[in-house]
Amino acid sequence: MGVSAVSRRTVSRATVEKWAWANLVANTLIILTGGAVRLTGSGLGCPTWPRCTDESFVPHGALGWHGVIEFGNRTLTYVLIVIAIGTVIATWRWADATRTQLRLVLGIALGIPFQGVIGGITVLTDLNPWVVSLHLILSMALVVAATVFLVSLRPDEGTASPRAAWVVRIAYGVLLVAIYLGTIVTGSGPHAGDADAPRNDLDPVWWSRVHALSVWTFIILTVVAIVLLRGQARKVGLLVLGAGLAQGLIGYVQYFTDLPILLVAAHLLGAAVLLALATRWWIVARPVAS
């Protein structure tokens, strides 16, 4: 049953879907721009927070292009907030909105400024790699929430046997582990965001291998699930497999070519896209009685 529409005008589902897509795309793109800050060594382009410097909220000439890049990423947060608020208003004005959908969009809207706070902590801790990883993890969580909301507006007609559904869920869990392991690899690697930023002092080669093993485990489980699935759930699974293989290929190429910036950025964006597709897959592969 939808939330009562008393005292509010209604909007169409199509309008809500447009806001939902904007929400998902914006939360995905800020992962890319955040990665650009780190990859260009601009993590301390604005050396303090919430101001850019002790005297100004905006960068000045002495900070150079690093200040512009870091400040641009901070500014994008306000764009996300505007989109999140627009999504909340559109959902509230949609007569068929459920309480769960309203909670989702409210959670996203609250998560974005909290993400800004974590971003501030990363600056104040001189880009501590563990805090930086938390920054990315929250962004990925917002991508998951935005995907769940978008899929809920027009649910797929997919089902799965209990066995296939469990394989999908295990694969999804492994993917979450792989993404987290990727942040550990990043924290041990060369792209720290600033020449003087600390690293986590872990062996990047060993952790890269562990990360690769988790990705291969995810790919194998995905193949097994696709064999067990039928219909729409299998089609979405094939999309997940394609995205997973592409992500793995980029990962291997970037590793053996000494982590070029463009490939690392593509790998970061690919992780967000893969997670969004896998989240949709989780929802589509609903278990039914065999």
Side-chain angles (χ1 to χ4, degrees):
M1 180 181 296
V3 177
S4 174
V6 176
S7 301
R8 76 176 194 267
R9 296 172 58 192
T10 59
V11 299
S12 67
R13 180 172 64 179
T15 298
V16 179
E17 284 181 337
K18 290 177 182 178
W19 282 104
W21 271 111
N23 214 6
L24 176 58
V25 171
N27 277 288
T28 300
L29 288 180
I30 201 169
I31 292 175
L32 180 60
T33 61
V37 170
R38 178 173 57 81
L39 293 169
T40 58
S42 305
L44 295 178
C46 285
T48 189
W49 187 87
R51 295 174 181 243
C52 187
T53 68
D54 290 333
E55 298 80 23
S56 174
F57 280 97
V58 298
H60 50 69
L63 295 175
W65 62 285
H66 290 305
V68 173
I69 293 174
E70 164 64 5
F71 183 73
N73 187 61
R74 292 188 184 190
T75 303
L76 186 57
T77 299
Y78 296 103
V79 176
L80 261 70
I81 291 174
V82 171
I83 293 174
I85 292 173
T87 307
V88 170
I89 294 173
T91 305
W92 172 252
R93 294 179 61 195
W94 181 39
D96 292 331
T98 66
R99 295 188 185 277
T100 298
Q101 289 170 328
L102 281 170
R103 291 190 186 106
L104 273 172
V105 293
L106 284 171
I108 294 169
L110 293 173
I112 292 170
F114 185 58
Q115 177 75 316
V117 172
I118 296 178
I121 295 173
T122 66
V123 172
L124 298 177
T125 57
D126 295 325
L127 307 182
N128 180 288
W130 300 108
V131 181
V132 172
S133 69
L134 180 62
H135 197 38
L136 176 62
I137 289 168
L138 178 54
S139 285
M140 290 294 187
L142 292 174
V143 167
V144 170
T147 302
V148 172
F149 175 66
L150 178 61
V151 174
S152 74
L153 299 177
R154 200 181 291 270
D156 289 297
E157 296 299 325
T159 56
S161 68
R163 181 173 58 175
W166 270 110
V167 176
V168 171
R169 278 146 180 73
I170 294 171
Y172 190 82
V174 172
L175 176 61
L176 296 181
V177 172
I179 290 173
Y180 179 71
L181 290 172
T183 69
I184 294 178
V185 174
T186 297
S188 67
H191 297 299
D194 187 82
D196 298 322
R199 302 281 73 202
N200 59 24
D201 296 326
L202 298 174
D203 182 358
V205 174
W206 192 87
W207 282 98
S208 293
R209 291 171 178 169
V210 174
H211 174 57
L213 179 61
S214 68
V215 173
W216 276 112
T217 303
F218 167 72
I219 294 296
I220 292 171
L221 288 169
T222 299
V223 171
V224 172
I226 289 171
V227 171
L228 296 174
L229 290 167
R230 296 290 183 272
Q232 182 68 6
R234 172 178 279 184
K235 292 178 182 178
V236 178
L238 289 171
L239 291 176
V240 172
L241 178 61
L245 290 173
Q247 181 72 340
L249 177 61
I250 294 172
Y252 274 110
V253 174
Q254 71 168 5
Y255 179 81
F256 289 110
T257 54
D258 297 324
L259 304 176
I261 288 176
L262 290 179
L263 280 181
V264 176
H267 197 54
L268 190 60
L269 179 62
V273 172
L274 176 58
L275 181 59
L277 284 172
T279 300
R280 181 189 173 200
W281 195 30
W282 169 295
I283 297 170
V284 171
R286 295 186 300 272
V288 293
S290 58

